[in-house]
């Protein structure tokens, strides 16, 4: 956590960083004690962890209670997508080349179950065990190479949204290619551009509205909205707060 604290100082200054660090640390101590002494009521489907409560996820501008797995760091959307990939999409039966943007540690084991799939993990930063350093706005890849593209909560971070979507369209196979994508949706009307990377909101540059699918359809994609198909019991047990995601193909 000390390296995280040093990074916080660079972004928010000593006073802001210390306030956030103290808040996170004190909340974590409470959750650790709860998990030590109270009966388990949650489970992480990604790693099998069981306990009374997940860690709260606290940023400078917002907080999500009961969010992060103490063992694999999964959040609600990772746990939901893990179950959907495994049980509904049947990733183990897929084949071809899969481009995985900003690869999530908590889902990593699932890609290994798809023995016919060649996963290529991409990120703009080298700190996620990636196979290829790549900027989504200008990918170093040939056209039409991807049978599957996995891209979650990345498009709100890129500077040039149109360029990023255009690149996704260029590299996706027109034959059977599928892009599975999600973004943080703010629940109301139009997408709001900030014009800068908001460090208090995990560095996002825009808050997508209900018009998000239009950015894809206007770039030559067809879009199908999906749900996680989870029961109330699963949502409660795995601490999942369902959110929309999309299955996207070339028109
Ligand atoms: Zn976990």
């Amino acid at each position: 956590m000390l390296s995280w604290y040093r990074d916080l100082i660079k972004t928010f200054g000593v006073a802001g960083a210390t306030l956030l660090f103290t808040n996170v640390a004190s909340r974590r101590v409470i959750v650790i004690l709860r998990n030590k002494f109270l009966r388990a009521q949650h489970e992480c489907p990604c790693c099998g962890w069981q306990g009374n409560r997940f860690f709260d996820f606290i940023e400078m501008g917002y907080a999500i209670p009961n969010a992060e797995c103490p063992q694999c760091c999964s959040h609600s959307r990772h746990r939901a997508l893990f179950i959907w990939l495994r049980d509904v999409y049947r990733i183990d039966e897929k084949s071809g080349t899969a481009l995985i943007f900003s690869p999530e540690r908590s889902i990593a084991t699932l890609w290994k179950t798809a023995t016919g799939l060649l996963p290529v993990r991409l990120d703009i930063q080298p700190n996620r065990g990636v196979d290829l350093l790549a900027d989504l706005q200008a990918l170093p890849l040939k056209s039409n190479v991807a049978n599957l593209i996995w891209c979650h909560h990345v498009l709100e971070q890129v500077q040039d949204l149109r360029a990023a979507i255009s690149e996704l369209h260029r590299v996706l196979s027109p034959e059977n290619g599928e892009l599975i994508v999600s973004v943080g949706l703010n629940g109301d009307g139009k997408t709001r551009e900030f014009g800068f990377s908001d460090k208090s909101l995990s560095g996002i540059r825009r808050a997508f509205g209900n018009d998000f699918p239009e950015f894809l359809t206007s770039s030559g994609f067809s879009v199908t909205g999906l749900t996680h198909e989870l029961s109330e019991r699963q949502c409660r047990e795995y601490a999942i707060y369902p959110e929309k995601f999309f299955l996207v193909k070339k028109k």
Side-chain angles (χ1 to χ4, degrees):
M1 282 186 84
L2 282 178
S3 63
W4 176 62
Y5 178 57
R6 280 195 290 271
D7 289 342
L8 285 180
I9 290 174
K10 290 177 195 165
T11 307
F12 301 114
V14 174
T18 303
L19 187 65
L20 182 57
F21 182 86
T22 306
N23 193 13
V24 169
S26 60
R27 290 298 309 164
R28 289 212 164 191
V29 168
I30 292 170
V31 173
I32 289 168
L33 289 173
R34 285 181 63 146
N35 286 331
K36 188 173 177 62
F37 293 109
L38 300 183
R39 138 182 108 72
Q41 58 183 5
H42 294 298
E43 179 179 337
C44 174
C46 305
C47 71
W49 174 88
Q50 293 182 328
N52 182 263
R53 186 182 168 91
F54 292 103
F55 285 142
D56 299 336
F57 182 72
I58 303 170
E59 274 279 10
M60 188 61 86
Y62 67 101
I64 306 171
N66 199 24
E68 185 174 290
C69 174
Q71 188 161 274
C72 74
C73 300
S74 71
H75 283 208
S76 164
R77 68 183 169 87
H78 303 132
R79 296 189 285 273
L81 287 169
F82 183 98
I83 295 170
W84 181 84
L85 262 180
R86 183 190 63 192
D87 299 344
V88 180
Y89 192 65
R90 295 304 307 262
I91 189 65
D92 59 326
E93 298 176 355
K94 303 295 180 184
S95 59
T97 299
L99 304 182
I100 304 165
F101 286 94
S102 193
E104 304 94 338
R105 172 185 158 197
S106 49
I107 296 179
T109 56
L110 211 45
W111 299 114
K112 294 175 184 167
T113 66
T115 54
L117 205 62
L118 174 64
V120 181
R121 297 166 297 173
L122 307 96
D123 202 301
I124 199 166
Q125 295 178 343
N127 58 355
R128 288 175 181 259
V130 299
D131 302 304
L132 186 62
L133 282 179
D135 182 347
L136 180 51
Q137 300 159 106
L139 291 172
L141 297 168
K142 291 181 178 176
S143 300
N144 307 323
V145 293
N147 303 99
L148 171 64
I149 300 179
W150 183 257
C151 185
H152 295 272
H153 287 238
V154 175
L155 290 175
E156 50 268 72
Q157 312 263 355
V158 300
Q159 189 158 5
D160 188 338
L161 177 62
R162 290 289 180 192
I165 293 175
S166 174
E167 282 294 83
L168 290 171
H169 188 273
R170 182 180 67 77
V171 300
L172 187 64
S173 167
E175 304 296 326
N176 58 356
E178 293 181 328
L179 161 65
I180 301 166
V181 63
S182 68
V183 294
L185 294 167
N186 64 18
D188 50 25
K190 294 284 184 186
T191 293
R192 211 159 33 86
E193 292 286 343
F194 300 162
F196 62 96
S197 170
D198 191 336
K199 302 300 182 195
S200 69
L201 297 176
S202 303
I204 65 173
R205 292 178 173 274
R206 61 190 59 82
F208 282 107
N210 291 333
D211 58 347
F212 170 65
E214 295 169 23
F215 290 98
L216 300 167
T217 55
S218 64
S219 298
F221 284 120
S222 63
V223 181
T224 304
L226 298 176
T227 61
H228 294 114
E229 302 185 28
L230 296 170
S231 67
E232 279 187 30
R233 182 195 62 78
Q234 286 177 305
C235 291
R236 193 169 54 249
E237 183 176 346
Y238 302 138
I240 289 172
Y241 314 100
E243 58 183 74
K244 288 182 186 172
F245 63 112
F246 302 90
L247 180 67
V248 179
K249 299 181 180 183
K250 277 185 173 175
K251 283 179 185 171

